[in-house]
């Protein structure tokens, strides 16, 4: 199967076909052990990247440091902004506000485009300066050679290329693989990939590689606008012990997507409600429904309806991904950051269920697995004693590692509670969208019902007029008929004796009149009454 494999980076074909390159300054955020706040570097040239990768700024996975390193891959078309040297997050934010005063601080994302606006320029004559088209995530702010260096030093898994290529699919995935240097040791790592839909502007993608043995995370955020950079730096400046939690960055990613969705839902609800109110106005314009203006309004109503339904589906899909994040937080708390007492209970249960003959070997394998997956168990130099009880293995954990696990559990509970609150908010927004979609359908039915009532009333008025016309016809028809008959040449009202004379050939008129009258009535009866009431013959089995 096509699952995530161990020690697999980005393939050669993906380097060439998936990504586009445009060299510009790139922001790298770093926070590791001993730092009170995150530090930020701006890199551009190949020499800058090579120097940074070889320096002590890039943490090593030898277990000496924990925390995160986040690369913010700037979106194409963004204003160029960079810090002159390595600065703190507070200094970076101060410099940002000074150098970029024209960017709005409260605008974080663009709105969802309508279904007719899926073109690269959004179907509009002008493009929002924060937008970058549908290939924004694939465009990278460095050369291909630099990107190869970055992916190797950040231990980027090749699965991110497939996630980025599936541009309209919202994703959160987690894979446990072995990662490391090509010529060095490998370690168990958790690879997290996140993706938002590119059906609208400002889509993002995130890949993180977390090493549990040292608590270190390497991450790349693709398609990052400058305003999102500011938001991320603000949020990370508040992190302390949470910096070592593997779901900190995916949690911030979820916060950014929530901000976009909330803003979009509010705009779409306002739009579809205005279209619902317009239905009352349009119901009075039945006679002019074929005009160009009416056709345009109908198209706008259909677009608003379909966009809201599409948005609702997007909210449901992303809420599902958030539920997967919550489940992952629970898994981390149960396995990587489990309490000592819980591990002891697991060890006791394991001893109870295992046999006596091979118990020593199995216990040693369990202790080795625990050391690989636990974030806190870092004392790898302590020798294992064959046949040593599992409780003794756990008992050698240091007080420092227990403190770290307590911090991670506390951070995990914070992330879980916040994600659950976001999911609840999404449920509320989904209900809002559903109510508007169903409300528009109901309003349309009401408007059509009112229109049908008006048509029925107009038909009734026409029927009364037709009855009046029929009455007048019945009044004048006998006189008209007899005037026509008596004016024929079969009658001579001025004969030789002054008396009226009737032609002996009048029987021809009577005969033709009776025959054609019967023929007309018979034809009408055959096609209108008899043929319609005749039962249809069932088809035979051979007929198709």
């Amino acid at each position: 199967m096509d699952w995530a494999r161990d020690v697999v980076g980005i393939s050669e074909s993906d380097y060439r076909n998936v990504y586009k390159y445009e060299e510009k300054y790139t922001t790298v955020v770093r926070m590791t052990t001993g730092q009170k706040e995150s530090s930020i570097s701006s890199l551009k040239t190949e020499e800058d990247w090579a120097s940074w990768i070889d320096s002590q700024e890039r943490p090593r996975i030898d277990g000496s440091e924990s925390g995160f390193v986040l690369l913010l891959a700037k979106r194409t078309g963004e204003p160029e902004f960079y810090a002159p040297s390595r600065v703190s997050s507070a200094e970076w934010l101060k410099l940002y506000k000074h150098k970029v005063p024209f960017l709005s601080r409260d605008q974080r994302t663009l709105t969802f485009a309508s279904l007719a606006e899926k073109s690269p320029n959004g179907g509009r004559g002008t493009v929002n300066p924060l937008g970058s088209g549908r290939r924004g995530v694939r465009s990278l702010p460095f050369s291909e050679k630099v990107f190869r260096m970055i992916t190797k030093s950040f231990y980027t898994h090749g699965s991110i290329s497939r996630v980025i290529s599936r541009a309209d699919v919202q994703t959160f995935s987690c894979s446990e693989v072995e990662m490391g240097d090509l010529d060095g040791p490998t370690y168990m790592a958790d690879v997290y990939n996140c993706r938002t839909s590119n059906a609208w502007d400002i889509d993002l993608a995130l890949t993180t590689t977390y090493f549990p043995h040292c608590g270190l995370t390497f991450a790349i955020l693709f398609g990052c606008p400058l305003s999102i950079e500011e938001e991320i730096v603000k949020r990370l400046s508040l992190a302390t012990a949470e910096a070592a939690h593997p779901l900190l960055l995916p949690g911030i990613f979820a916060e950014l997507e929530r901000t976009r969705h909330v803003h979009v839902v509010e705009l779409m609800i306002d739009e579809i409600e205005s279209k619902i109110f317009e239905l009352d106005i349009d119901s009075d314009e039945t006679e002019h429904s074929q005009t160009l203006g009416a056709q345009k309004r109908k198209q706008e109503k259909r677009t608003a309806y379909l966009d809201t339904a599409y948005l609702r589906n997007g909210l449901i899909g992303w809420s599902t991904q958030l539920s997967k994040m919550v489940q992952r937080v629970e898994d981390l708390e149960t396995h990587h950051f489990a309490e000592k007492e819980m591990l002891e209970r697991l060890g006791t249960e394991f001893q109870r269920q295992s046999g006596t003959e091979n118990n020593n070997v199995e216990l040693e394998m369990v202790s080795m697995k625990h050391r690989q997956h636990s974030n806190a168990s870092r004392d790898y130099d302590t020798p294992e004693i064959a046949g040593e009880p599992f409780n003794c293995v756990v008992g050698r954990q240091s007080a420092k590692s227990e403190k770290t696990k307590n911090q991670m559990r506390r951070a995990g509970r914070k992330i879980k509670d916040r994600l659950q609150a976001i999911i609840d908010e999404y449920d509320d927004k989904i209900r809002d969208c559903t109510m508007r979609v169903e409300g528009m359908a109901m309003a349309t039915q009401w408007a059509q019902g009112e229109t049908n009532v008006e048509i029925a009333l107009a038909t009734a008025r026409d029927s009364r007029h037709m009855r009046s016309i029929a009455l007048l016809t019945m009044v004048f028809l006998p006189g008209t008929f007899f005037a026509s008959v008596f004016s024929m040449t079969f009658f001579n009202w001025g004969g030789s004796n002054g008396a009226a004379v009737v032609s002996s050939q009048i029987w021809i008129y009577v005969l033709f009149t009776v025959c054609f009258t019967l023929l007309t009535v018979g034809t009408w009866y055959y096609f209108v009454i008899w043929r319609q009431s005749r039962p249809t013959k069932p088809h035979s089995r051979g007929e198709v």
Side-chain angles (χ1 to χ4, degrees):
M1 296 181 65
D2 192 15
W3 53 52
R5 293 176 294 170
D6 296 336
V7 199
V8 174
I10 297 177
S11 64
E12 292 293 329
S13 60
D14 289 341
Y15 278 121
R16 294 190 301 268
N17 301 326
V18 175
Y19 304 97
K20 303 299 179 182
Y21 306 97
E22 178 186 356
E23 189 174 278
K24 60 174 63 176
Y25 278 99
T26 304
T27 302
V28 179
V29 186
R30 176 182 184 272
M31 186 171 185
T32 55
T33 306
Q35 290 184 250
K36 295 183 178 180
E37 63 177 333
S38 56
S39 60
I40 300 176
S41 302
S42 296
L43 308 173
K44 181 177 182 180
T45 64
E46 181 180 340
E47 291 75 13
D48 294 340
W49 282 105
S51 176
W52 183 85
I53 291 173
D54 295 335
S55 68
Q56 295 299 320
E57 286 294 311
R58 182 179 73 88
R60 303 306 191 264
I61 58 175
D62 56 3
S64 59
E65 293 180 298
S66 63
F68 68 85
V69 181
L70 172 62
L71 188 153
L72 302 176
K74 192 179 274 78
R75 205 177 190 88
T76 183
E78 290 294 304
E80 189 163 282
F81 168 77
Y82 60 93
S85 60
R86 182 175 179 270
V87 296
S88 65
S89 57
E91 294 172 336
W92 189 92
L93 291 171
K94 182 178 180 181
L95 187 63
Y96 176 87
K97 293 180 180 180
H98 175 71
K99 285 191 173 182
V100 196
F102 58 89
L103 288 180
S104 174
R105 296 295 186 269
D106 56 359
Q107 182 180 6
R108 291 292 177 260
T109 56
L110 297 179
T111 62
F112 275 48
S114 63
L115 295 181
E117 296 175 342
K118 304 302 186 203
S119 60
N121 64 349
R124 299 178 292 271
T126 59
V127 180
N128 191 297
L130 292 180
S132 58
R134 301 187 65 180
R135 296 186 64 89
V137 171
R138 298 188 179 194
S139 299
L140 303 178
F142 22 72
S143 64
E144 180 179 342
K145 184 177 181 180
V146 170
F147 186 48
R148 291 173 181 269
M149 296 167 52
I150 292 172
T151 54
K152 289 179 175 60
S153 60
F154 276 63
Y155 308 100
T156 304
H157 197 269
S159 57
I160 185 59
S161 298
R162 179 170 54 184
V163 172
I164 289 178
S165 298
R166 299 176 64 190
D168 58 343
V169 179
Q170 303 174 111
T171 302
F172 169 77
S173 63
C174 174
S175 304
E176 294 184 359
V177 296
E178 289 187 8
M179 297 294 291
D181 298 316
L182 295 179
D183 54 350
T186 60
Y187 302 91
M188 292 301 300
D190 296 338
V191 175
Y192 300 95
N193 291 324
C194 305
R195 180 72 160 93
T196 60
S197 175
N198 80 330
W200 311 275
D201 287 337
I202 314 302
D203 55 318
L204 301 172
L206 173 70
T207 179
T208 69
T209 304
Y210 170 72
F211 292 95
H213 74 280
C214 61
L216 188 59
T217 299
F218 294 88
I220 302 177
L221 181 65
F222 297 87
C224 184
L226 197 54
S227 59
I228 298 297
E229 281 192 28
E230 180 199 14
E231 182 70 18
I232 292 175
V233 172
K234 280 184 178 180
R235 292 179 180 273
L236 292 179
S237 64
L238 304 176
T240 53
E242 300 88 354
H245 198 283
L247 287 180
L248 172 65
L249 297 178
I252 294 177
F253 188 89
E255 290 279 7
L256 296 174
E257 186 66 358
R258 171 207 162 270
T259 302
R260 177 170 76 153
H261 279 155
V262 169
H263 182 59
V264 167
V265 169
E266 292 174 354
L267 291 180
M268 289 302 302
I269 286 178
D270 291 342
E271 181 179 358
I272 197 170
E273 285 182 348
S274 65
K275 300 305 178 184
I276 293 174
F277 294 146
E278 288 179 5
L279 288 172
D280 296 334
I281 302 175
D282 294 344
S283 61
D284 298 331
E285 301 180 357
T286 305
E287 298 180 358
H288 306 285
S289 61
Q290 301 301 323
T291 62
L292 181 61
Q295 291 295 329
K296 182 178 179 181
R297 288 193 296 273
K298 289 181 180 180
Q299 177 65 30
E300 291 175 351
K301 294 184 184 67
R302 286 192 294 267
T303 300
Y305 177 87
L306 294 175
D307 283 353
T308 306
Y310 193 85
L311 171 60
R312 179 183 60 181
N313 293 339
L315 296 178
I316 294 173
W318 186 243
S319 179
T320 302
Q321 305 308 313
L322 293 179
S323 299
K324 292 165 61 176
M325 287 190 190
V326 172
Q327 181 61 45
R328 184 56 186 170
V329 173
E330 295 175 352
D331 293 342
L332 289 173
E333 186 174 353
T334 304
H335 298 89
H336 290 291
F337 312 129
E339 296 180 2
K340 180 179 178 181
E341 291 76 9
M342 180 180 295
L343 292 175
E344 291 176 349
R345 288 196 299 270
L346 292 175
T348 304
E349 182 66 22
F350 179 81
Q351 283 184 323
R352 185 182 301 113
Q353 295 179 359
S354 61
T356 58
E357 295 181 359
N358 299 323
N359 195 33
N360 295 342
V361 177
E362 292 178 355
L363 288 176
E364 185 175 359
M365 292 176 62
V366 170
S367 64
M368 292 172 64
K369 182 177 180 182
H370 171 69
R371 290 203 315 274
Q372 279 189 331
H373 289 83
S374 175
N375 177 50
S377 300
R378 299 172 182 167
D379 188 10
Y380 295 98
D381 297 332
T382 303
E384 284 288 323
I385 302 175
E388 183 180 11
F390 187 85
N391 292 345
C392 295
V393 176
V394 178
R396 289 203 305 268
Q397 295 179 342
S398 63
K400 181 179 179 181
S401 64
E402 283 298 321
K403 179 181 178 181
T404 302
K405 288 201 298 183
N406 290 333
Q407 292 174 342
M408 292 301 100
R409 287 195 299 270
R410 185 167 178 265
R413 286 191 290 269
K414 290 180 181 178
I415 295 173
K416 177 182 176 181
D417 293 342
R418 179 55 186 157
L419 288 176
Q420 192 59 57
I422 294 176
I423 292 175
D424 295 339
E425 187 174 0
Y426 269 83
D427 292 340
D428 182 64
K429 298 302 180 183
I430 291 169
R431 287 191 292 269
D432 284 345
C433 291
T434 301
M435 182 178 65
R436 266 63 179 192
V437 169
E438 295 177 352
M440 188 169 191
M442 183 63 67
T444 302
Q445 294 177 3
W446 285 346
Q448 291 176 348
E450 293 175 356
T451 302
N452 293 335
V453 170
E454 293 179 358
I455 293 175
L457 293 175
T459 303
R461 289 192 296 269
D462 294 341
S463 299
R464 288 195 296 270
H465 296 161
M466 291 301 297
R467 286 196 296 270
S468 301
I469 296 173
L471 178 61
L472 293 176
T473 302
M474 287 186 292
V475 170
F476 289 100
L477 183 60
T480 304
F481 170 75
F482 285 109
S484 300
V485 170
F486 291 144
S487 65
M488 292 188 301
T489 57
F490 289 107
F491 299 95
N492 185 4
W493 303 102
S496 57
N497 298 327
V501 179
V502 180
S503 173
S504 61
Q505 305 298 327
I506 194 173
W507 64 271
I508 298 176
Y509 167 74
V510 175
L511 178 63
F512 273 87
T513 300
V514 172
C515 291
F516 276 95
T517 300
L518 293 176
L519 179 62
T520 302
V521 174
T523 302
W524 169 82
Y525 179 83
Y526 174 77
F527 285 102
V528 176
I529 297 178
W530 183 82
R531 189 175 181 181
Q532 297 294 333
S533 61
R534 185 180 62 177
T536 58
K537 295 181 179 180
H539 294 289
S540 62
R541 293 183 179 180
E543 296 179 354
V544 179

